[in-house]
Amino acid sequence: MRKKVDERIRTLIENGVKLRHRSMFVIIGDKSRDQIVNLHHMLSKAVIKSNPSVLWCYKDKLDISSHKKKRTKQLKRLRERGQLDPEKLDAFSRLLDVGRVTHCLYKDSERILGNTFGMCILQDFEALTPNLLARTIETVEGGGMIVLILRSLTSLTSLCTMVMDVHDRFRTESHSEAAGRFNERFLLSIASCKACVVMDDELNILPLSSHIRSITPVPTEMDSEGLSEAERELKILKDELSDDFPVGPLIKKCCTLDQGKAVVTFFDAILDKALRSIVALIASRGRGKSAALGLAVAGAVAAGYSNIYITAPSPDNLKTFFEFVCKGFDALEYKEHLDYDVVKSANPDFKKAIVRINIIKQHRQTIQYIQPHEHEKLSQVELLVIDEAAAIPLPVVKSLLGPYLVFLSSTVSGYEGTGRSLSLKLLQQLDEQSRAPSTGLDGSLSVTLAGCLFKKIELNESIRYASGDPIESWLNGLLCLDVATSLPNPSCHPPPSECDLYYVNRDTLFSYHKDSELFLQRMMALCVSSHYKNSPNDLQLLADAPAHHLFVLLGPVDESQSKLPDILCVIQVCLEGQISQSSALKSLRDGHSPYGDQIPWKFCEQFRDIEFPHLSGARIVRIAVHPNAMKMGYGSAAVELLTRYFEGQISPILEADNEADVEHSPIRVTEAAEKVSMLEEQVKPRTNLPPLLVPLNERRPERLHYIGVSFGLTLDLFRFWRKQNFAPFYVSQIPSAVTGEHTSMLLKPLKNDELEVNESEELGFFAPFYKDFRIRFSKLLSDKFKKMDYKLAMSVLNPKINFTGIDSSDGFLKTLDGVLSPFDMERLRVFTNNMTDFNLVYDICKTLAHQYFEEKIPVSLSYVQASVLLCLGLQETEFSSIERQMQLERGQIHSLLLKVLRELYKYLNGIAAKEIELTRPRLQRRVLEPHNVSVDDDLREGAKQVEEQMMEEKTEGSMDAEFQEYVIGDKEAEALKHSKIPASGIVSIESAKLENQNGSAKSTKKRSKDKHSSESKSKSSKKRKA
């Protein structure tokens, strides 16, 4: 049976087409798919052009297959079973066959960026996230429609109890109940959107959309030529520049007046030829930034620029840019393959994206894509284009700037939720630098951009749809996308000591009351303005995650005033821990950590400790201070108050057996959900809500053992947390691909009676883990953290460099055994005396650096001296790199190093001088000492000994036989006594020995003669016989 469609639905669609505004329909019921055909038909009739293209997004599977052959078989089976109305089936099949339908899985939604559709259909509501909702809706053009399909519901309020897929990621072992606050706020926001209608599957309008009752057709305000005011101004601009080449043909491709003015501004900088300009293009999503850049680059080619480089987070983001470069070439009558060639990437990660255009019409010209970190390739660049600069780390963007023409574009708000650090920091610095070149804001930036001309352009008029689109306003309000204007300046800046920290009740915050909504917008504006990267998904995390809590720092509150107090600081906290030992063991065994509980799982992984995950703690997810209240102590005051609160110093700690007086179990929108049909159901915001802000002394805190924090490691952030007595236990060895920063985790133990700790240890139970981290970090400085800035490395290592007044400790070196050899000490001595170069002691320097930073050598050094020792000994950095980092001359660095090694050698030589002497090899030396006896006495003693010996020999007759003949006998002695010695000194006496000798000689001769004669006789006798 046919049924007449409510005219208000048709009027809403036609009004959207006339005003180029989008409309939205929420269809509830199992037969919602059948109404898609009717809505598409009404839209096609209102548009009066070819059938609008359709984007159909789903979770994992479709009721009717998108593949033609599979769909035919599927419909045939359903028809045979009698489950399909043939008339409706034919109409739906015709839509799929002819209606230009693009099917897309939610997980693949990134591939639809940059495309435009006339109709968007979203099914599987439970799989939707804020990111997906905004990403898909933003593809719909003005005059199009968004259709949201929901299954049958018993009541609209049951939407608030629906379990969303993302809730699985919010649950942890100790916090398993996710709330439905985001869905509640979504439902209430739909009721306030004038271009949104909630219907059942028979197109009956539900009471939630009561505002549609007064809808009337609207006339379009146009002049005699059929143009609106903005279009007429754009036409005038095009006519004025039609004769100027090349800007005339290019300006005709612009769709809005803002875009046309942007292209003109870009071209003024191109024709300047000074190559010292920076032009920044700032806009929200869908304003035509990439298209304007593409047209401007086409004009730069026509103006003769040869080397043009374009950079973005990924080549996929440059699809629109290169498309409009080619459109610009077409307008300038360049022919592809004749005048220019398009080159696509062979890298599979880039998915055949365009990475280069070679132009050969006038001379060799190139438009080349480079990755953001490849700034060293910019030596010959004339024009650099940085697209989506807010998605590139701020230090990387600064390194890309230089003495050449720079075009820079960035999204400050939109469905990707990029932060405003680019506009708050870099653009502010550029603006001040261009006004006062002599003032140094950032040392390197000041030198690089001295004398540059800075211009900033903002695009406000949307291209996809007309200004004032109600769906855009609704989406921005729901997801807090465009909150830049929602952050008022504080009326005063009270001293931090007078400020108080308040707990924010999330039930009230997301109740969609007027005051609560204003407070939420201000909170999110604070987070977006203070943090580099934000996402709409953060809003659902804040609303539904059971472990997350919010605190705000406010100045003194005057209760007599009815206005909301100024928010000075926002803290988002996530409760973690209380993980069972079995879960910890399973995680270590499998090498996989579940969602949530970041600090317990990382701690367990790094130290293989299964006791720590059982402790309870809180992780500070983010802390955001008002941009106009930076550096005033509000962040430190908020962290100090939060620490005191969880230590029980402000309110008694909640006991385990007591029920937490935190947010009550989720209160749903059930006031009007009496058992009535949806056609009679009235949904309104709740009225019985607790106070939005709760003083800390009125809320009992959870019992915690520690507070932790995780963030991308930068010097300012790390110093802030170290100032709050947080100590690191983890720094990722691989930097983030998005930010280029190392992820770090810090911890601060809380005073707790449940843990036995040494009271002398400032870090309590965490002290041994922190010591182990420092040793590991110092060893990794020469490899994984070699390129880390020395100031950041010094802050992370936090070495003790002042040992004044400290007595000897057991931890200090007492011996050099196993550390340095005697030869090392000798080499070190020679170097400290300026007798050799550093290469001789380079290995010793590394050893001493490790010993010093492990606090084993109690020598006091200055910060600069310790930094030089760290760079050379731990990071093993070249002298040229140290010169650049420290801004010192090489001679100064050598002088500092010499002083350091002299101090270290002095201490080491003092404790091990004797040890070194004993172990050093040496020649044996004779020691000459005086005798106890004088020379004369010694001679007399020797003479006496000789005389005694002679007497003994004489007595014993032990004289040799050859001297026997000269012995004076008794007769000779008697004769000598009576004889006188003449002047010649020779005395002749008669000796008896001579006679004896003569007699013996004669007898000897006689015996020899007899023997000779006998021998001769025997010989003669032998001859005769022969």
Side-chain angles (χ1 to χ4, degrees), residues 44 63 130 144 186 218 232 265 287 291 356 444 509 593 619 721 724 749 768 790 891 950 958 966 969:
S44 301
D63 294 335
F186 171 80
V218 293
R232 187 168 61 253
T265 305
R287 265 59 179 175
R356 186 169 69 251
S444 60
L509 183 66
S593 302
R619 173 171 57 90
W721 290 110
Q724 313 307 318
Y790 78 95
M950 292 176 62
S958 58
Y966 304 109

Side-chain angles (χ1 to χ4, degrees), residues 20 228 230-235 237-238 250-261 263 286-288 291-292 295 324 327 461-465:
R20 289 188 63 236
S228 62
E231 291 173 340
R232 187 168 61 253
E233 291 183 12
L234 177 61
K235 184 177 181 299
L237 179 63
K238 291 180 179 180
L250 295 175
I251 204 73
K252 292 180 180 179
K253 297 290 183 181
C254 296
C255 299
T256 64
L257 181 63
D258 285 347
Q259 193 181 43
K261 291 180 179 179
V263 171
R287 265 59 179 175
L295 294 175
F324 274 85
K327 286 185 177 182
E461 188 176 354
S462 176
I463 292 179
R464 283 201 183 102
Y465 40 82

Side-chain angles (χ1 to χ4, degrees), residues 588-828:
L588 289 177
R589 183 175 62 251
D590 298 343
H592 172 71
S593 302
Y595 288 114
D597 293 320
Q598 290 185 16
I599 287 180
W601 290 127
K602 186 59 67 176
F603 198 99
C604 178
E605 172 194 313
Q606 290 296 305
F607 300 102
R608 318 305 290 177
D609 185 274
I610 60 173
E611 297 296 333
F612 182 85
H614 184 65
L615 303 179
S616 58
R619 173 171 57 90
I620 298 177
V621 180
R622 71 172 74 199
I623 176 170
V625 179
H626 197 288
N628 294 334
M630 295 283 192
K631 308 292 185 181
M632 294 185 180
Y634 294 120
S636 300
V639 174
E640 182 184 357
L641 287 171
L642 188 70
T643 303
R644 291 178 53 208
Y645 170 67
F646 281 121
E647 286 181 342
Q649 299 181 25
I650 297 178
S651 178
I653 295 178
L654 182 70
E655 298 297 334
D657 54 349
N658 290 344
E659 188 175 333
D661 55 348
V662 294
E663 296 153 341
H664 303 286
S665 56
I667 304 175
R668 282 108 188 181
V669 195
T670 54
E671 292 182 354
E674 303 170 359
K675 297 301 180 179
V676 294
S677 66
M678 287 191 298
L679 292 175
E680 301 175 359
E681 185 179 12
Q682 297 287 340
V683 178
K684 296 179 181 179
R686 285 177 279 142
T687 55
N688 57 338
L689 289 168
L692 174 64
L693 301 175
V694 181
L696 294 186
N697 56 10
E698 297 180 10
R699 180 185 183 273
R700 304 185 69 179
E702 295 80 0
R703 181 176 293 275
L704 303 180
H705 301 93
Y706 62 87
I707 296 180
V709 64
S710 175
F711 57 90
L713 189 60
T714 61
L715 183 60
D716 291 339
L717 274 178
F718 187 83
R719 285 180 173 175
F720 170 80
W721 290 110
R722 282 297 292 162
K723 187 179 178 182
Q724 313 307 318
N725 297 323
F726 283 72
F729 71 89
Y730 169 74
V731 176
S732 66
Q733 299 180 19
I734 302 175
S736 169
V738 177
T739 63
E741 299 166 350
H742 296 268
T743 301
S744 61
M745 292 186 179
L746 284 73
L747 201 99
K748 179 181 181 180
L750 298 177
K751 296 178 182 178
N752 195 297
D753 300 334
E754 297 180 358
L755 298 176
E756 296 181 4
V757 296
N758 186 356
E759 295 183 358
S760 62
E761 290 286 354
E762 180 183 357
L763 295 176
F765 75 91
F766 182 56
F769 300 103
Y770 176 55
K771 182 179 180 181
D772 179 74
F773 163 79
R774 291 181 61 210
I775 295 174
R776 293 186 63 207
F777 181 77
S778 65
K779 293 178 179 178
L780 289 170
L781 276 173
S782 62
D783 185 14
K784 299 296 184 180
F785 306 119
K786 189 178 182 71
K787 296 182 180 179
M788 182 178 287
D789 182 73
Y790 78 95
K791 294 180 181 178
L792 181 56
M794 284 285 290
S795 296
V796 174
L797 202 55
N798 192 28
K800 185 178 183 62
I801 59 178
N802 185 7
F803 292 88
T804 305
I806 296 180
D807 299 331
S808 60
S809 171
D810 295 336
F812 297 154
L813 278 179
K814 300 299 183 183
T815 176
L816 296 184
D817 186 24
V819 180
L820 293 179
S821 69
F823 306 106
D824 290 332
M825 288 296 293
E826 179 63 19
R827 284 190 286 267
L828 192 59

Side-chain angles (χ1 to χ4, degrees), residues 552-623:
V552 292
L553 184 73
L554 308 178
V557 178
D558 186 359
E559 297 183 359
S560 62
Q561 295 184 355
S562 59
K563 67 177 184 178
L564 289 172
D566 294 325
I567 305 175
L568 299 173
C569 180
V570 177
I571 299 183
Q572 180 184 351
V573 172
C574 176
L575 300 181
E576 297 183 337
Q578 297 182 343
I579 301 171
S580 63
Q581 189 172 1
S582 59
S583 298
L585 288 171
K586 184 176 185 300
S587 175
L588 289 177
R589 183 175 62 251
D590 298 343
H592 172 71
S593 302
Y595 288 114
D597 293 320
Q598 290 185 16
I599 287 180
W601 290 127
K602 186 59 67 176
F603 198 99
C604 178
E605 172 194 313
Q606 290 296 305
F607 300 102
R608 318 305 290 177
D609 185 274
I610 60 173
E611 297 296 333
F612 182 85
H614 184 65
L615 303 179
S616 58
R619 173 171 57 90
I620 298 177
V621 180
R622 71 172 74 199
I623 176 170

